[in-house]
Amino acid sequence: MAEELVLQQGDKAEQYQSIIPQIQAIVEGESDVIANLANICAALKQQFDWLWIGFYLVKQNELVLGPFQGPIACTRIAKGRGVCGTAWQQQQVMIVPDVDQFPGHIACSSASRSEIVLPVIKNGECVAVLDIDSEELNQFDEIDAEYLQQLIIIIETFI
């Protein structure tokens, strides 16, 4: 079945309020994790046009690249390394206004200037992270964290 998104103009909160229910409708009833994660990346890319949106999945004690939209990316990330590895290790949302100021930042793309990473928790353990990069400094804030956390709750129902 073909899906069509209704893209919302307006402030960040209004855009999230529009896109999150649409994403929920797309993943509802679909049991394939990879298909769902891929569609989530595509929907976020269409709505916000960030540089990079993707998932890293925890496999054999490292993060392994999963579905994404954007330039090619790092394939594997160790626990505690970079923003993604730190979010996984600490099991908390990481908002980085300037990636050049983050100790140990992994520069998969030199165009990335700011980043937000959210862990996906299942049965008390981090099983994946959602990583979003922007070409602009200070792109992400608590509004992004709040609404993307709502999306993470949806993801935790099927991952």
Side-chain angles (χ1 to χ4, degrees):
M1 178 171 98
E3 301 292 343
E4 182 106 11
L5 292 176
V6 177
L7 302 180
Q8 176 73 39
Q9 299 301 310
D11 69 27
K12 206 186 293 195
E14 291 169 332
Q15 291 181 56
Y16 279 117
Q17 290 164 7
S18 172
I19 199 71
I20 289 174
Q22 293 182 75
I23 290 172
Q24 183 161 16
I26 291 167
V27 301
E28 243 171 34
E30 175 53 61
S31 61
D32 190 89
V33 171
I34 299 301
N36 284 336
L37 297 179
N39 270 332
I40 288 168
C41 292
L44 291 173
K45 182 72 170 167
Q46 280 185 261
Q47 179 64 57
F48 295 102
D49 197 31
W50 292 311
L51 173 67
W52 198 91
I53 302 151
F55 291 91
Y56 282 93
L57 309 173
V58 176
K59 294 184 178 186
Q60 298 176 354
N61 209 33
E62 64 184 342
L63 292 173
V64 179
L65 182 64
F68 72 94
Q69 294 274 315
I72 61 169
C74 303
T75 305
R76 295 176 185 271
I77 299 173
K79 193 172 205 172
R81 187 157 179 260
V83 183
C84 289
T86 301
W88 170 28
Q89 184 177 52
Q90 296 179 6
Q91 293 193 13
Q92 68 181 31
V93 175
M94 304 289 300
I95 299 173
V96 182
D98 181 351
V99 296
D100 292 333
Q101 302 304 311
F102 189 88
H105 175 255
I106 302 167
C108 294
S109 170
S110 60
S112 177
R113 303 295 310 278
S114 61
E115 186 170 4
I116 185 170
V117 180
L118 297 95
V120 179
I121 309 296
K122 189 76 170 185
N123 300 323
E125 290 198 30
C126 183
V127 296
V129 297
L130 169 58
D131 180 21
I132 304 174
D133 292 38
S134 173
E135 294 169 291
E136 297 178 31
L137 290 171
N138 299 305
Q139 176 70 57
F140 305 106
D141 57 25
E142 291 304 320
I143 293 171
D144 297 288
E146 175 187 340
Y147 284 101
L148 290 169
Q149 193 59 48
Q150 292 177 24
L151 186 57
I152 294 297
I153 291 167
I154 294 167
I155 294 166
E156 290 169 351
T157 66
F158 66 76
I159 200 162

PDB file of all heavy atoms in Angstrom, residues 73-92:
ATOM      1  N   ALA A  73      27.297   6.612   5.917  1.00  0.00           N
ATOM      2  CA  ALA A  73      27.543   6.794   7.343  1.00  0.00           C
ATOM      3  C   ALA A  73      28.538   5.774   7.868  1.00  0.00           C
ATOM      4  O   ALA A  73      28.847   4.783   7.207  1.00  0.00           O
ATOM      5  CB  ALA A  73      26.218   6.656   8.099  1.00  0.00           C
ATOM      6  N   CYS A  74      28.988   6.022   9.083  1.00  0.00           N
ATOM      7  CA  CYS A  74      29.834   5.062   9.792  1.00  0.00           C
ATOM      8  C   CYS A  74      29.033   3.775   9.950  1.00  0.00           C
ATOM      9  O   CYS A  74      27.837   3.812  10.247  1.00  0.00           O
ATOM     10  CB  CYS A  74      30.208   5.604  11.168  1.00  0.00           C
ATOM     11  SG  CYS A  74      31.050   7.197  11.113  1.00  0.00           S
ATOM     12  N   THR A  75      29.690   2.653   9.770  1.00  0.00           N
ATOM     13  CA  THR A  75      28.990   1.373   9.814  1.00  0.00           C
ATOM     14  C   THR A  75      28.891   0.804  11.225  1.00  0.00           C
ATOM     15  O   THR A  75      27.867   0.251  11.608  1.00  0.00           O
ATOM     16  CB  THR A  75      29.692   0.349   8.899  1.00  0.00           C
ATOM     17  OG1 THR A  75      29.780   0.918   7.592  1.00  0.00           O
ATOM     18  CG2 THR A  75      28.925  -0.948   8.837  1.00  0.00           C
ATOM     19  N   ARG A  76      29.942   0.973  12.032  1.00  0.00           N
ATOM     20  CA  ARG A  76      29.966   0.418  13.384  1.00  0.00           C
ATOM     21  C   ARG A  76      30.509   1.450  14.362  1.00  0.00           C
ATOM     22  O   ARG A  76      31.463   2.164  14.055  1.00  0.00           O
ATOM     23  CB  ARG A  76      30.822  -0.849  13.442  1.00  0.00           C
ATOM     24  CG  ARG A  76      30.235  -1.970  12.602  1.00  0.00           C
ATOM     25  CD  ARG A  76      31.128  -3.208  12.563  1.00  0.00           C
ATOM     26  NE  ARG A  76      30.560  -4.191  11.656  1.00  0.00           N
ATOM     27  CZ  ARG A  76      29.676  -5.120  12.016  1.00  0.00           C
ATOM     28  NH1 ARG A  76      29.284  -5.202  13.265  1.00  0.00           N
ATOM     29  NH2 ARG A  76      29.206  -5.969  11.126  1.00  0.00           N
ATOM     30  N   ILE A  77      29.901   1.485  15.551  1.00  0.00           N
ATOM     31  CA  ILE A  77      30.308   2.428  16.592  1.00  0.00           C
ATOM     32  C   ILE A  77      30.408   1.675  17.917  1.00  0.00           C
ATOM     33  O   ILE A  77      29.489   0.951  18.299  1.00  0.00           O
ATOM     34  CB  ILE A  77      29.304   3.596  16.730  1.00  0.00           C
ATOM     35  CG1 ILE A  77      29.221   4.378  15.403  1.00  0.00           C
ATOM     36  CG2 ILE A  77      29.686   4.514  17.882  1.00  0.00           C
ATOM     37  CD1 ILE A  77      28.142   5.434  15.373  1.00  0.00           C
ATOM     38  N   ALA A  78      31.513   1.859  18.601  1.00  0.00           N
ATOM     39  CA  ALA A  78      31.728   1.203  19.895  1.00  0.00           C
ATOM     40  C   ALA A  78      30.938   1.902  21.001  1.00  0.00           C
ATOM     41  O   ALA A  78      30.669   3.108  20.930  1.00  0.00           O
ATOM     42  CB  ALA A  78      33.211   1.217  20.240  1.00  0.00           C
ATOM     43  N   LYS A  79      30.602   1.146  22.024  1.00  0.00           N
ATOM     44  CA  LYS A  79      29.894   1.694  23.187  1.00  0.00           C
ATOM     45  C   LYS A  79      30.747   2.790  23.825  1.00  0.00           C
ATOM     46  O   LYS A  79      31.947   2.614  24.034  1.00  0.00           O
ATOM     47  CB  LYS A  79      29.617   0.589  24.200  1.00  0.00           C
ATOM     48  CG  LYS A  79      28.639   0.986  25.277  1.00  0.00           C
ATOM     49  CD  LYS A  79      28.263  -0.217  26.128  1.00  0.00           C
ATOM     50  CE  LYS A  79      26.908  -0.004  26.750  1.00  0.00           C
ATOM     51  NZ  LYS A  79      26.423  -1.217  27.420  1.00  0.00           N
ATOM     52  N   GLY A  80      30.125   3.933  24.081  1.00  0.00           N
ATOM     53  CA  GLY A  80      30.816   5.044  24.709  1.00  0.00           C
ATOM     54  C   GLY A  80      31.577   5.934  23.740  1.00  0.00           C
ATOM     55  O   GLY A  80      32.139   6.944  24.140  1.00  0.00           O
ATOM     56  N   ARG A  81      31.583   5.583  22.454  1.00  0.00           N
ATOM     57  CA  ARG A  81      32.346   6.360  21.460  1.00  0.00           C
ATOM     58  C   ARG A  81      31.417   7.289  20.686  1.00  0.00           C
ATOM     59  O   ARG A  81      30.355   6.877  20.209  1.00  0.00           O
ATOM     60  CB  ARG A  81      33.050   5.405  20.508  1.00  0.00           C
ATOM     61  CG  ARG A  81      33.988   6.119  19.578  1.00  0.00           C
ATOM     62  CD  ARG A  81      35.062   5.185  19.040  1.00  0.00           C
ATOM     63  NE  ARG A  81      35.890   5.971  18.126  1.00  0.00           N
ATOM     64  CZ  ARG A  81      35.764   5.929  16.808  1.00  0.00           C
ATOM     65  NH1 ARG A  81      34.890   5.134  16.244  1.00  0.00           N
ATOM     66  NH2 ARG A  81      36.525   6.688  16.048  1.00  0.00           N
ATOM     67  N   GLY A  82      31.798   8.546  20.570  1.00  0.00           N
ATOM     68  CA  GLY A  82      30.990   9.513  19.830  1.00  0.00           C
ATOM     69  C   GLY A  82      29.673   9.797  20.530  1.00  0.00           C
ATOM     70  O   GLY A  82      29.426   9.343  21.648  1.00  0.00           O
ATOM     71  N   VAL A  83      28.824  10.539  19.863  1.00  0.00           N
ATOM     72  CA  VAL A  83      27.537  10.907  20.449  1.00  0.00           C
ATOM     73  C   VAL A  83      26.623   9.682  20.537  1.00  0.00           C
ATOM     74  O   VAL A  83      25.986   9.440  21.559  1.00  0.00           O
ATOM     75  CB  VAL A  83      26.858  12.041  19.644  1.00  0.00           C
ATOM     76  CG1 VAL A  83      25.552  12.461  20.302  1.00  0.00           C
ATOM     77  CG2 VAL A  83      27.787  13.253  19.513  1.00  0.00           C
ATOM     78  N   CYS A  84      26.597   8.877  19.486  1.00  0.00           N
ATOM     79  CA  CYS A  84      25.735   7.684  19.490  1.00  0.00           C
ATOM     80  C   CYS A  84      26.152   6.681  20.561  1.00  0.00           C
ATOM     81  O   CYS A  84      25.320   6.170  21.309  1.00  0.00           O
ATOM     82  CB  CYS A  84      25.740   7.016  18.118  1.00  0.00           C
ATOM     83  SG  CYS A  84      24.877   7.952  16.852  1.00  0.00           S
ATOM     84  N   GLY A  85      27.452   6.393  20.617  1.00  0.00           N
ATOM     85  CA  GLY A  85      27.947   5.442  21.614  1.00  0.00           C
ATOM     86  C   GLY A  85      27.745   5.931  23.037  1.00  0.00           C
ATOM     87  O   GLY A  85      27.505   5.139  23.951  1.00  0.00           O
ATOM     88  N   THR A  86      27.822   7.251  23.223  1.00  0.00           N
ATOM     89  CA  THR A  86      27.597   7.834  24.550  1.00  0.00           C
ATOM     90  C   THR A  86      26.123   7.751  24.937  1.00  0.00           C
ATOM     91  O   THR A  86      25.788   7.397  26.071  1.00  0.00           O
ATOM     92  CB  THR A  86      28.085   9.301  24.584  1.00  0.00           C
ATOM     93  OG1 THR A  86      29.480   9.317  24.250  1.00  0.00           O
ATOM     94  CG2 THR A  86      27.884   9.926  25.952  1.00  0.00           C
ATOM     95  N   ALA A  87      25.225   8.050  23.995  1.00  0.00           N
ATOM     96  CA  ALA A  87      23.784   7.941  24.266  1.00  0.00           C
ATOM     97  C   ALA A  87      23.420   6.497  24.608  1.00  0.00           C
ATOM     98  O   ALA A  87      22.614   6.247  25.513  1.00  0.00           O
ATOM     99  CB  ALA A  87      22.974   8.424  23.065  1.00  0.00           C
ATOM    100  N   TRP A  88      24.032   5.547  23.909  1.00  0.00           N
ATOM    101  CA  TRP A  88      23.797   4.130  24.187  1.00  0.00           C
ATOM    102  C   TRP A  88      24.301   3.783  25.581  1.00  0.00           C
ATOM    103  O   TRP A  88      23.576   3.189  26.380  1.00  0.00           O
ATOM    104  CB  TRP A  88      24.501   3.302  23.112  1.00  0.00           C
ATOM    105  CG  TRP A  88      24.571   1.820  23.351  1.00  0.00           C
ATOM    106  CD1 TRP A  88      23.695   1.052  24.058  1.00  0.00           C
ATOM    107  CD2 TRP A  88      25.556   0.935  22.849  1.00  0.00           C
ATOM    108  NE1 TRP A  88      24.090  -0.268  24.024  1.00  0.00           N
ATOM    109  CE2 TRP A  88      25.234  -0.366  23.282  1.00  0.00           C
ATOM    110  CE3 TRP A  88      26.685   1.103  22.064  1.00  0.00           C
ATOM    111  CZ2 TRP A  88      25.991  -1.486  22.966  1.00  0.00           C
ATOM    112  CZ3 TRP A  88      27.438  -0.016  21.736  1.00  0.00           C
ATOM    113  CH2 TRP A  88      27.099  -1.289  22.183  1.00  0.00           C
ATOM    114  N   GLN A  89      25.528   4.171  25.881  1.00  0.00           N
ATOM    115  CA  GLN A  89      26.129   3.846  27.175  1.00  0.00           C
ATOM    116  C   GLN A  89      25.362   4.464  28.339  1.00  0.00           C
ATOM    117  O   GLN A  89      25.098   3.808  29.339  1.00  0.00           O
ATOM    118  CB  GLN A  89      27.576   4.322  27.194  1.00  0.00           C
ATOM    119  CG  GLN A  89      28.332   3.964  28.461  1.00  0.00           C
ATOM    120  CD  GLN A  89      29.779   4.408  28.361  1.00  0.00           C
ATOM    121  OE1 GLN A  89      30.063   5.561  28.055  1.00  0.00           O
ATOM    122  NE2 GLN A  89      30.690   3.474  28.598  1.00  0.00           N
ATOM    123  N   GLN A  90      24.996   5.735  28.206  1.00  0.00           N
ATOM    124  CA  GLN A  90      24.320   6.444  29.289  1.00  0.00           C
ATOM    125  C   GLN A  90      22.800   6.263  29.274  1.00  0.00           C
ATOM    126  O   GLN A  90      22.128   6.658  30.219  1.00  0.00           O
ATOM    127  CB  GLN A  90      24.670   7.931  29.228  1.00  0.00           C
ATOM    128  CG  GLN A  90      26.138   8.191  29.461  1.00  0.00           C
ATOM    129  CD  GLN A  90      26.495   9.666  29.388  1.00  0.00           C
ATOM    130  OE1 GLN A  90      25.634  10.538  29.262  1.00  0.00           O
ATOM    131  NE2 GLN A  90      27.785   9.960  29.482  1.00  0.00           N
ATOM    132  N   GLN A  91      22.283   5.685  28.201  1.00  0.00           N
ATOM    133  CA  GLN A  91      20.843   5.498  28.018  1.00  0.00           C
ATOM    134  C   GLN A  91      20.083   6.796  28.264  1.00  0.00           C
ATOM    135  O   GLN A  91      19.084   6.834  28.984  1.00  0.00           O
ATOM    136  CB  GLN A  91      20.313   4.365  28.907  1.00  0.00           C
ATOM    137  CG  GLN A  91      20.847   3.024  28.511  1.00  0.00           C
ATOM    138  CD  GLN A  91      20.113   1.865  29.144  1.00  0.00           C
ATOM    139  OE1 GLN A  91      19.032   2.012  29.709  1.00  0.00           O
ATOM    140  NE2 GLN A  91      20.694   0.692  29.061  1.00  0.00           N
ATOM    141  N   GLN A  92      20.573   7.862  27.614  1.00  0.00           N
ATOM    142  CA  GLN A  92      19.899   9.147  27.726  1.00  0.00           C
ATOM    143  C   GLN A  92      20.011   9.930  26.428  1.00  0.00           C
ATOM    144  O   GLN A  92      20.903   9.679  25.625  1.00  0.00           O
ATOM    145  CB  GLN A  92      20.439   9.967  28.887  1.00  0.00           C
ATOM    146  CG  GLN A  92      21.863  10.443  28.715  1.00  0.00           C
ATOM    147  CD  GLN A  92      22.344  11.241  29.923  1.00  0.00           C
ATOM    148  OE1 GLN A  92      21.929  11.011  31.046  1.00  0.00           O
ATOM    149  NE2 GLN A  92      23.234  12.178  29.689  1.00  0.00           N
TER     150      GLN A  92
END
